[in-house]
Amino acid sequence: AAVINMKKILDLQLIEPPVLYEIMKELYPVAKNCLDDDWAPSLRWTTCKFFQKMLAYLKDQWKDENISDMYAAFLERLDDSQNSIRVEAAKIIQVLFESINENQWSRTCFGYTLKSLF
């Protein structure tokens, strides 16, 4: 329920992006753990939807270290046992690429990311 509430807060824009970015330091590890929940595919799916919304909402605020860590977590979901979650994980990566500019991600990480995908 918490992940659904977090997504709803973003849908309704009840929090300013700079404030959300500050609390992401504490929120991200908890939400990331939801992506790894083996017993609840619906939780993984909902968390994917949350991350899609969150990445777009915080567009242009990311730093290289955030992106590298998040990318690794999202890439793991491309190997999920549920097809619907793999699709949503791919959408997260799409939003990630759309939400950052070229100055926010080192060329090395960007190149590695592309090699990993293809």
Side-chain angles (χ1 to χ4, degrees):
V3 175
I4 294 169
N5 289 334
M6 291 185 303
K7 183 182 177 303
K8 194 62 157 175
I9 287 169
L10 297 180
D11 288 341
L12 298 174
Q13 298 183 351
L14 297 176
I15 187 169
E16 294 294 321
V19 175
L20 177 61
Y21 185 80
E22 281 302 309
I23 65 170
M24 280 307 296
K25 295 171 187 162
E26 296 172 24
L27 183 62
Y28 172 72
V30 176
K32 181 181 167 189
N33 283 339
C34 294
L35 286 174
D36 294 328
D37 191 312
D38 289 337
W39 302 107
S42 62
L43 177 59
R44 294 193 311 273
W45 186 88
T46 303
T47 305
C48 286
K49 298 301 264 183
F50 163 72
F51 274 118
Q52 291 168 22
K53 185 70 175 184
M54 185 264 310
L55 286 168
Y57 196 70
L58 293 177
K59 183 177 180 157
D60 297 329
Q61 297 201 28
W62 298 110
K63 295 178 176 50
D64 185 45
E65 62 273 6
N66 303 121
I67 295 166
S68 298
D69 183 52
M70 284 190 285
Y71 170 74
F74 303 149
L75 189 62
E76 287 179 27
R77 287 300 101 215
L78 292 176
D79 193 33
D80 197 277
S81 62
Q82 301 287 318
N83 202 26
S84 62
I85 296 169
R86 289 192 299 267
V87 169
E88 294 307 319
K91 289 178 185 176
I92 295 173
I93 293 171
Q94 176 186 353
V95 172
L96 178 67
F97 277 106
E98 292 171 350
S99 298
I100 58 175
N101 68 47
E102 63 187 62
N103 298 323
Q104 290 172 292
W105 209 353
S106 74
R107 290 198 178 272
T108 304
C109 289
F110 184 76
Y112 174 76
T113 299
L114 292 178
K115 286 179 186 177
S116 297
L117 286 173
F118 304 105

